[in-house]
Amino acid sequence: MTSMTMLLHIRRAFCTRAWLQPGSKASLTKVFMADEVQTFSEISQDRNPIHIDPEYAANTRFGKCIVHGVLLNGLLSAVCSTKLPGPGAVYLSQELKFLAPAFVGQSVTAEVEVIDIERLVMTLSTTVRETDTLKLLLEGSAKLVIPKKLARGR
């Protein structure tokens, strides 16, 4: 058996019902640094000083710069596109509730959990927490289309 054939067998075994079922979870952890937040501010044109100006942010109720909420959402998207369900997944809808801020330089962990799978549509519970304290920063849900190649093993 060639190494490529072996890799395909491993991938098929990984993409079975046991993997894509309610209760399955995946996560990613990241620290958003000031330069990344600044770059996002420029790309998105969201230059709210609460995100990029430490002097301004020091005089707000948060006391320091906070990460754009959409960057936390992007981390959830990264979990979906790289881990669960994986490459080829496409968002259909998403609901988010921002419960607390993520601060620049703080470690956060985004996690998704499979709630339901109907044909090619997967419903996920989504959360983002402070990595150290597990404080809940964001919660919600998402619906994604599962790539056919992943759903075949179901």
Side-chain angles (χ1 to χ4, degrees):
M1 181 181 299
T2 69
S3 56
M4 181 58 97
T5 305
M6 188 183 300
L7 213 79
L8 288 172
H9 284 291
I10 291 169
R11 183 169 172 89
R12 281 191 197 115
F14 185 71
C15 298
T16 64
R17 183 169 177 77
W19 174 67
L20 290 177
Q21 67 180 0
S24 297
K25 295 181 181 181
S27 65
L28 280 174
T29 298
K30 176 158 179 57
V31 176
F32 289 99
M33 302 307 292
D35 61 329
E36 294 171 310
V37 173
Q38 177 68 43
T39 298
F40 179 77
S41 288
E42 292 171 17
I43 291 169
S44 67
Q45 297 185 22
D46 178 353
R47 296 182 182 93
N48 184 338
I50 195 134
H51 301 299
I52 57 175
D53 183 343
E55 189 175 308
Y56 176 89
N59 295 308
T60 69
R61 66 182 174 162
F62 302 118
K64 54 187 170 181
C65 290
I66 62 173
V67 175
H68 295 78
V70 74
L71 286 173
L72 302 178
N73 183 37
L75 192 57
L76 287 167
S77 179
V79 176
C80 295
S81 67
T82 64
K83 294 188 172 194
L84 181 66
V90 176
Y91 266 91
L92 292 175
S93 65
Q94 187 166 33
E95 179 183 312
L96 301 172
K97 294 178 188 173
F98 295 97
L99 305 172
F103 296 102
V104 172
Q106 172 187 49
S107 179
V108 296
T109 300
E111 182 178 82
V112 302
E113 179 178 352
V114 178
I115 301 302
D116 187 43
I117 304 172
E118 287 280 329
R119 299 185 139 197
L120 294 178
V121 178
M122 177 181 284
T123 302
L124 300 166
S125 168
T126 60
T127 60
V128 178
R129 297 178 182 273
E130 288 182 12
T131 303
D132 296 334
T133 67
L134 301 180
K135 179 179 179 180
L136 189 60
L137 307 177
L138 178 157
E139 67 180 358
S141 62
K143 288 189 183 247
L144 292 90
V145 174
I146 304 168
K148 287 181 182 179
K149 65 182 180 182
L150 294 180
R152 272 188 226 130
R154 296 191 73 244

